[in-house]
Amino acid sequence: MISEAVIRALSRFVPEENIRLQEPMAGHTTFRIGGPADCFVQLENKEQMIQVQRYLRQVGMPFFILGNGSNLLVSDKGYRGIVLQIGQRMSRITVAGSIITAQAGASMSQIARAALEHGLTGLEFASGIPGTIGGGVVMNAGAYDGELSGIVTQVNVVNGEGEYMELENESMEFGYRTSIIRNNSFTVTEVIMKLEKGDREQIKAKMEDLAAKRREKQPLEYPSAGSTFKRPRGNFAGKLIMDAGLRGFQIGGAKVSEKHCGFIINTGNATAEDVRDVISEVQERVKEMFHVDLEPEILFLG
């Protein structure tokens, strides 16, 4: 439980209405799964982020930075600590020429639409990714042969000491679904991207084509966390899972999608334990049949 002293301290940095106790996390993840966080705080700006994190580190209170919750599985027991949400209150997007600057809480689909409005190409691949740009650069999000590493020029972060830092692309150590931020106590505040001038109609057509492919191939009608596993070298997780005979495999409310075996979906009443059990069975069966270790792409909290 969070003490009254901690709550009083937090209320010095953020408005009291932004602080909630025992907040169900199922309402803050695309999986629609998760028990209550001891405390849930909505941040409005970089200054609040710095002050709150600095205080929580001083008192040794565990905390987790949340964006859109699109790549996350929260335990049924919830989270014993404080969830700091960077969302719509920190989602400003500005465009100057071919440069887009977005606060960490802006969704990648929102930024892609802004690029379209200004006739900028290079971000079409991200138009259907549900996460925020802050979470996106942490894992170098990508789809359809595009990755953020190809367009990001600078990422502004707050480090573990509460200091503001500007990281150039070369310092980000981007890799497949990873970056330097994933292994350090950095929190993204802003992302700067450089795109190219393009034809607005061609950009729109490409975005519509990718959206149609997603609707056709991905189980968008069900809650999920997107692709459950990272792509193994030289193969595809979905194909391995399908070839292992696990299409439609289900435990409780968690199920391997029949439309795309790389997705585990919530059929309506799945628990986090159901999802973990399906993940374990998939990993064991694929390992046994193909000698391939499937590594989860989603994060586990609690």
Side-chain angles (χ1 to χ4, degrees), residues 122-169:
L123 198 56
E124 292 90 334
F125 72 89
S127 59
I129 298 177
T132 61
I133 190 65
V137 293
V138 172
M139 63 175 292
N140 188 20
Y144 297 106
D145 298 322
E147 287 184 330
L148 288 176
S149 59
I151 58 173
V152 168
T153 60
Q154 181 176 308
V155 180
N156 300 336
V157 303
V158 175
N159 67 16
E161 286 69 50
E163 300 167 333
Y164 184 70
M165 298 174 60
E166 298 177 351
L167 303 176
E168 303 297 323
N169 182 290

Side-chain angles (χ1 to χ4, degrees), residues 27-266:
H28 299 287
T29 71
T30 57
F31 241 143
R32 298 294 177 255
I33 294 172
D38 285 345
C39 183
F40 186 89
V41 179
Q42 292 176 305
L43 299 174
E44 298 180 337
N45 52 57
K46 181 176 65 178
E47 290 69 29
Q48 289 181 4
M49 178 195 299
I50 292 173
Q51 291 171 329
V52 169
Q53 288 193 40
R54 189 175 288 163
Y55 167 75
L56 293 178
R57 286 196 168 95
Q58 285 175 351
V59 298
M61 176 65 65
F63 64 89
F64 178 80
I65 303 296
L66 177 75
N68 192 46
S70 60
N71 198 43
L72 182 68
L73 178 65
V74 181
S75 164
D76 299 314
K77 296 180 180 179
Y79 178 62
R80 304 286 72 80
I82 297 179
V83 173
L84 303 178
Q85 186 187 45
I86 300 174
Q88 284 300 311
R89 298 171 191 239
M90 291 182 64
S91 61
R92 186 179 65 250
I93 301 167
T94 58
V95 181
S98 61
I99 304 297
I100 294 183
T101 301
Q103 288 185 309
S107 74
M108 283 184 275
S109 58
Q110 287 175 319
I111 302 169
R113 286 196 297 271
L116 168 63
E117 292 170 5
H118 288 81
L120 297 175
T121 183
L123 198 56
E124 292 90 334
F125 72 89
S127 59
I129 298 177
T132 61
I133 190 65
V137 293
V138 172
M139 63 175 292
N140 188 20
Y144 297 106
D145 298 322
E147 287 184 330
L148 288 176
S149 59
I151 58 173
V152 168
T153 60
Q154 181 176 308
V155 180
N156 300 336
V157 303
V158 175
N159 67 16
E161 286 69 50
E163 300 167 333
Y164 184 70
M165 298 174 60
E166 298 177 351
L167 303 176
E168 303 297 323
N169 182 290
E170 296 75 15
S171 303
M172 282 292 297
E173 298 180 10
F174 281 124
Y176 175 64
R177 300 298 176 264
T178 191
S179 72
I180 191 173
I181 300 173
R182 193 148 197 176
N183 301 313
N184 287 274
S185 54
F186 297 159
T187 303
V188 178
T189 62
E190 285 183 322
V191 179
I192 301 172
M193 294 154 279
K194 180 174 174 53
L195 303 180
E196 302 291 335
K197 288 291 184 180
D199 180 84
R200 188 177 283 106
E201 289 305 313
Q202 290 181 0
I203 296 168
K204 182 180 179 182
K206 185 173 182 179
M207 289 172 64
E208 290 175 347
D209 178 58
L210 293 181
K213 288 180 178 177
R214 284 187 171 93
R215 288 193 297 271
E216 177 189 353
K217 298 180 179 180
Q218 298 179 9
L220 303 180
E221 64 273 26
Y222 291 99
S224 78
S227 297
T228 306
F229 301 98
K230 295 181 180 179
R231 185 178 67 240
R233 186 182 297 274
N235 218 313
F236 294 95
K239 185 178 187 308
L240 291 171
I241 296 167
M242 179 179 66
D243 291 347
L246 290 165
R247 181 193 293 273
F249 175 78
Q250 185 166 354
I251 295 177
K255 181 179 181 180
V256 174
S257 169
E258 294 171 319
K259 183 183 280 189
H260 190 316
C261 292
F263 285 64
I264 293 176
I265 59 174
N266 177 0

